[in-house]
């Protein structure tokens, strides 16, 4: 797959507000936050979309959720609650084709978490 901006963040070619790093993953603050806390948790391995996750990636994808829970605990909003979401493809509005968990916290979050982008015909 072609390199995305997230690979540049992993390689420190562009700056980011990094809040967690380990062998498998990186987490940093979203540049356009949609909540008081808006983190992105990404695997260091570039995987374009959920559709590209293989059997061998199962542990890695689980690891991203473990990082989400750890950050929620460490940053003090685990008990208040938060949302973890991963967009896949055009209809979900995915814009960066390197899978990432959005972790949103710090206020009550509405549901459903979207507004229609296309008017009904
Ligand atoms: P998605 O629409 O699910 O693909 O989400 C991509 C997210 O990446 C958006 O919320 C963007 O605001 C965020 N984003 C794009 N470029 C950067 C960047 N350089 N640093 C931090 N977040 C970014």
């Amino acid at each position: 797959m072609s390199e995305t901006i997230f690979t540049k963040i992993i390689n420190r070619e562009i700056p980011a507000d990094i809040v967690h790093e380990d062998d498998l993953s990186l987490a940093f603050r979203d540049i356009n936050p949609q909540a008081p806390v808006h983190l992105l948790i990404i695997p260091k391995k570039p995987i374009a979309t959920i559709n590209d996750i293989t059997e061998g990636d199962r542990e890695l994808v689980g690891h991203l959720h473990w990082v989400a829970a750890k950050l929620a605990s460490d940053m003090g909003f685990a008990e208040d609650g938060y949302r973890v979401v991963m967009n896949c493809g055009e209809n979900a509005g995915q814009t960066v084709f390197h899978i990432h968990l959005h972790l949103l916290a710090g206020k009550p979050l509405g549901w459903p978490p979207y507004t229609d982008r296309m008017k009904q015909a």
Side-chain angles (χ1 to χ4, degrees), residues 14 35 47 57 66 82 101 108 116:
I14 62 167
I47 300 169
D57 295 324
W66 175 80
Y82 55 98
L101 285 182
D116 287 336

Side-chain angles (χ1 to χ4, degrees), residues 99-116:
I99 60 168
H100 47 281
L101 285 182
H102 293 261
L103 192 166
L104 299 142
K107 69 172 185 180
L109 301 163
W111 190 265
Y114 58 84
T115 51
D116 287 336

Side-chain angles (χ1 to χ4, degrees), residues 5-6 28-32 40 87 93-96 100 102:
I5 198 159
F6 289 175
F28 51 93
R29 293 187 191 277
D30 196 295
I31 205 167
N32 183 23
L40 300 175
N87 293 320
Q94 184 178 0
T95 57
V96 179
H100 47 281
H102 293 261

Side-chain angles (χ1 to χ4, degrees), residues 19-115:
V19 297
H20 171 87
E21 180 168 24
D22 59 43
D23 288 352
L24 298 174
S25 70
L26 191 72
F28 51 93
R29 293 187 191 277
D30 196 295
I31 205 167
N32 183 23
Q34 301 301 311
V37 179
H38 187 172
L39 308 176
L40 300 175
I41 304 165
I42 70 173
K44 288 186 172 173
K45 175 184 176 184
I47 300 169
T49 79
I50 295 176
N51 294 333
D52 301 297
I53 292 170
T54 65
E55 189 174 357
D57 295 324
R58 290 184 302 174
E59 199 168 323
L60 175 60
V61 174
H63 180 78
L64 302 180
H65 285 81
W66 175 80
V67 172
K70 176 172 168 43
L71 287 170
S73 176
D74 291 351
M75 297 173 82
F77 52 79
E79 299 308 318
D80 286 343
Y82 55 98
R83 179 168 295 148
V84 173
V85 64
M86 189 181 284
N87 293 320
C88 181
E90 186 176 347
N91 274 359
Q94 184 178 0
T95 57
V96 179
F97 287 83
H98 179 137
I99 60 168
H100 47 281
L101 285 182
H102 293 261
L103 192 166
L104 299 142
K107 69 172 185 180
L109 301 163
W111 190 265
Y114 58 84
T115 51

